[in-house]
Amino acid sequence: MGNREALLDGAKQCLLEKGYDRTTVRDIATAAGVSMAAIGYHYGSREALLQQALFASLEDWDAGLQAQLAKLDEPKGPKRFEAVWNLLIDHIKANKTMWMASFELFMQAQRIPELAEVYAKGQPGALAAMAALATGEIEETIDAETIRTVGAVQLALVSGIVMQWMSYPDNAPDPKAIAAGLRALTATLD
């Protein structure tokens, strides 16, 4: 493994242990076993390296989640909804640091225009993935309106549930409570 790859791995490790804001150049260099100057040489800056490490970590993390979701053999309906949310909640519990990094990425994107642009480019894919999660359909087969509506609502729901499980897990909703809440909300639309 070369210095570039070692730095990326070191930055990933630091993101999980310390978060974006608290990770220093020295932390990354130490974790990678290379000089601090190597960061500038290979990535230009600490921020550029951390951003690349964060996106790479999120891609790896998402691929693992998608592989687990692909194994669900429940058909559409309440049983699938519960199975998906059980899997998501287990994923939240097991990957709290990655979920925190995901939220940190969002917050950093509010301050860094280049990162906001990259974040915005990823939103259509995120909405499609959320629509697929909600409907049980393959992303490529979902129409644009479903992605725009169902994907956006599912993303909001997942984000909110993640925040609840991270901040107050003893009172966070389980899949049955989520389903009951959605039913009650949709009843207000009639």
Side-chain angles (χ1 to χ4, degrees), residues 88-118:
L88 281 171
I89 290 167
D90 287 346
H91 199 268
I92 294 165
K93 292 177 191 176
N95 298 282
K96 187 174 180 178
T97 55
M98 271 314 300
W99 284 99
M100 289 184 340
S102 175
F103 284 111
E104 270 193 298
L105 172 65
F106 172 76
M107 295 308 295
Q108 289 298 323
Q110 305 313 300
R111 296 183 194 105
I112 303 169
E114 300 82 20
L115 184 54
E117 185 178 320
V118 173

Side-chain angles (χ1 to χ4, degrees), residues 10-25:
K12 286 179 181 180
Q13 176 186 334
C14 289
L15 281 170
L16 294 177
E17 292 172 2
K18 294 182 167 236
Y20 188 100
D21 286 331
R22 292 183 37 222
T23 295
T24 66
V25 168

Side-chain angles (χ1 to χ4, degrees), residues 2 27 36 38 42 54 72 78 87 112 114-115 128 147 171 174 188:
D27 294 332
M36 290 188 289
H42 289 288
L54 190 50
L72 292 178
L87 196 146
I112 303 169
E114 300 82 20
L115 184 54
I147 290 170
N171 199 38
D174 64 12
T188 67

